[in-house]
Amino acid sequence: MDCAGKPLDLSRPEVMGILNITPDSFSDGGDFFSTNRAVERGRAMVTEGAGIIDIGGESSRPGAEPVTEQEELDRVIPVIEQLAPVLEVPISIDTRKPAVMRAAVNAGAGMINDINALREPGAIEAAMKTGVPVCLMHMRGTPQTMQDAPEYTDVVEEVGQFLQERILACLAGGISRDRLLLDPGFGFGKTVVHNLQLLNQLHKLAAFGYPLLVGFSRKSMIGAVMDLDIDNRTHPGIALAALAVWQGAHIVRSHDVRATWQAIRMCAAVRDVLDNRDGVKVR
Ligand code: PT1
């Protein structure tokens, strides 16, 4: 994929390193010191193996409060401006807002990661005009409401149906097929069982033929199964990443870049061994 001039090679699985620019993550978001710390963290994640860095200024954890457009811009744009020229890998902008999409790509971002799958009014047109790839994610409800007793008859079927509808909306809005990625949205309006069912059957979504992005890192589904608090979810999260890559996922969004990268490249070597007739070379 061409991410605003920076290539993203998805012939092998990649880690998307998470760079949250929220007051709790980098003290005050926006000031000189927090911008510098965020830039350093972005560079460090590339050293650890990240193939793309995902920058977000609005939390989407269950119950998180929305952020104004100006606040979101103030948080993410300075970091993108400083990081884009010094990173060899692309930056994605994790946002639902059309104005943030436009400003982020102008500042050097090479992908749009929208947990709302471009459903905000004006988002399809804004994304189309940027020319960069777009990840369409499934979410039932909003981060404020999404965990209020979500129900599905067949979660895999319904998530697949939603993503197909969003693909059609994007194609109708002038975004070409080869710019789209899909994400089932683990933790976004799903019970623990729904999340496990989606991962169990992830190969069905991979069969749509679009690059698949997944994110489990530190999420409550791990806490629920394993009874672990948020600071102790790394290892089970890596197991989930491995299961996703085994079924065809292309990008794993994670805080734990080095461990996730090692696990998924090892998985890909096993998965692809029959195609690899001239010896194993993972790096
Ligand atoms: C994701 C994702 C994302 N996740 C994409 N973007 C978050 N494409 C932010 C919990 O249950 O999976 N894919 N951007 C983070 N969101 C959550 C959701 C964090 C649920 C935590 C939980 O703990």
Side-chain angles (χ1 to χ4, degrees), residues 95-141:
T95 190
R96 301 185 267 179
K97 297 185 183 73
V100 179
M101 296 172 189
R102 276 190 292 269
V105 174
N106 276 333
M111 184 186 289
I112 293 166
N113 172 29
D114 185 2
I115 64 162
N116 207 29
L118 303 183
R119 284 179 291 172
E120 195 74 22
I124 290 182
E125 194 188 356
M128 181 270 287
K129 286 182 173 161
T130 64
V132 303
V134 183
C135 179
L136 302 172
M137 197 197 79
H138 174 272
M139 170 169 63
R140 173 77 57 93

Side-chain angles (χ1 to χ4, degrees), residues 1-217:
M1 290 195 132
D2 174 21
C3 298
K6 290 181 186 173
L8 179 62
D9 176 4
L10 295 180
S11 63
R12 288 178 300 177
E14 294 286 355
V15 175
M16 170 183 272
I18 300 171
L19 193 53
N20 287 324
I21 319 294
T22 49
D24 45 312
S25 46
F26 290 99
S27 61
D28 237 353
D31 67 59
F32 173 78
F33 291 103
S34 49
T35 299
N36 266 12
R37 285 178 59 210
V39 169
E40 278 320 302
R41 180 66 196 134
R43 296 167 73 110
M45 288 194 291
V46 174
T47 306
E48 292 175 24
I52 180 164
I53 300 295
D54 191 41
I55 297 185
E58 179 179 59
S59 174
S60 56
R61 305 194 77 82
E65 289 297 326
V67 165
T68 65
E69 181 177 300
Q70 194 57 52
E71 178 67 31
E72 205 179 321
L73 289 166
D74 291 345
R75 290 179 184 179
V76 299
I77 299 303
V79 180
I80 296 170
E81 282 175 342
Q82 286 202 40
L83 258 184
V86 298
L87 288 191
E88 64 267 38
V89 307
I91 291 169
S92 66
I93 175 67
D94 185 343
T95 190
R96 301 185 267 179
K97 297 185 183 73
V100 179
M101 296 172 189
R102 276 190 292 269
V105 174
N106 276 333
M111 184 186 289
I112 293 166
N113 172 29
D114 185 2
I115 64 162
N116 207 29
L118 303 183
R119 284 179 291 172
E120 195 74 22
I124 290 182
E125 194 188 356
M128 181 270 287
K129 286 182 173 161
T130 64
V132 303
V134 183
C135 179
L136 302 172
M137 197 197 79
H138 174 272
M139 170 169 63
R140 173 77 57 93
T142 67
Q144 286 70 54
T145 63
M146 66 190 180
Q147 293 310 112
D148 304 346
E151 281 186 48
Y152 300 83
T153 309
D154 179 339
V155 69
V156 181
E157 177 69 29
E158 288 166 60
V159 167
Q161 189 66 46
F162 170 87
L163 293 173
Q164 295 280 15
E165 282 166 23
R166 297 314 299 156
I167 291 167
L168 291 178
C170 288
L171 297 177
I175 301 176
S176 61
R177 245 172 230 297
D178 57 359
R179 283 173 58 193
L180 296 176
L181 303 91
L182 305 179
D183 184 337
F186 290 97
F188 287 90
K190 288 127 187 144
T191 64
V192 178
V193 170
H194 294 141
N195 288 312
L196 299 178
Q197 289 172 331
L198 268 173
L199 179 54
N200 185 281
Q201 300 292 307
L202 192 72
H203 58 274
K204 290 183 179 165
L205 300 178
F208 289 6
Y210 293 87
L212 260 195
L213 195 158
V214 293
F216 315 102
S217 194

Side-chain angles (χ1 to χ4, degrees), residues 252-266:
V252 178
R253 185 177 179 277
S254 180
H255 301 87
D256 305 298
V257 174
R258 196 188 301 276
T260 304
W261 185 88
Q262 290 179 344
I264 68 178
R265 286 298 176 96
M266 195 72 237

